[in-house]
């Protein structure tokens, strides 16, 4: 992926898993926050965003309740996430 948003120590960049978590984190704040984030990604990094949408589609096909699982984890209702985020 090209440089998407937040960089971490050592120059590592956010990946599809990070984008997925950011989207749901922002949605917990508000739907508008999520829409702004997605619009930013789409306009600034169109190829990476398209790649992310394909990734998200594959994750949702394997784990239809992904949003609920992530929300429960963000709320502290579950300690670990029990699904695979790395899809080849």
């Amino acid at each position: 992926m090209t440089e998407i948003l937040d960089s971490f120590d050592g120059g590592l960049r956010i990946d599809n898993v990070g984008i997925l978590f950011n989207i749901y984190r922002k949605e917990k704040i508000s739907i508008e926050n999520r829409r702004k984030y997605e619009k930013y990604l789409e306009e600034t990094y169109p190829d990476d965003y398209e790649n992310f949408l394909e990734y998200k589609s594959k994750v949702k096909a394997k784990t239809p309740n992904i949003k609920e699982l992530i929300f429960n984890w963000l709320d502290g209702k579950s300690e670990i996430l029990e699904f695979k985020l790395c899809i080849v």
Side-chain angles (χ1 to χ4, degrees):
M1 294 189 103
T2 57
E3 299 175 17
I4 293 187
L5 299 179
D6 312 317
S7 63
F8 302 98
D9 290 341
L12 298 174
R13 300 290 178 189
I14 197 165
D15 60 0
N16 285 332
V17 175
I19 293 171
L20 183 70
F21 277 90
N22 279 341
I23 282 175
Y24 290 130
R25 256 189 228 110
K26 292 189 182 299
E27 186 173 325
K28 291 278 297 167
I29 297 167
S30 74
I31 295 293
E32 185 60 30
N33 236 358
R34 175 186 173 159
R35 287 183 185 138
K36 286 179 184 177
Y37 179 67
E38 289 175 321
K39 183 177 179 181
Y40 170 79
L41 290 175
E42 185 175 17
E43 290 175 356
T44 309
Y45 307 102
D47 294 337
D48 292 326
Y49 185 68
E50 191 65 35
N51 181 41
F52 164 73
L53 292 177
E54 290 174 24
Y55 164 80
K56 182 180 168 192
S57 175
K58 290 176 185 176
V59 169
K60 286 182 94 171
K62 288 189 173 216
T63 311
N65 63 335
I66 187 76
K67 182 175 167 179
E68 178 185 349
L69 292 171
I70 291 175
F71 277 7
N72 284 340
W73 180 73
L74 289 171
D75 290 340
K77 294 178 184 174
S78 58
E79 292 182 26
I80 58 170
L81 296 172
E82 296 182 20
F83 57 91
K84 293 190 179 199
L85 291 174
C86 300
I87 298 173
V88 213

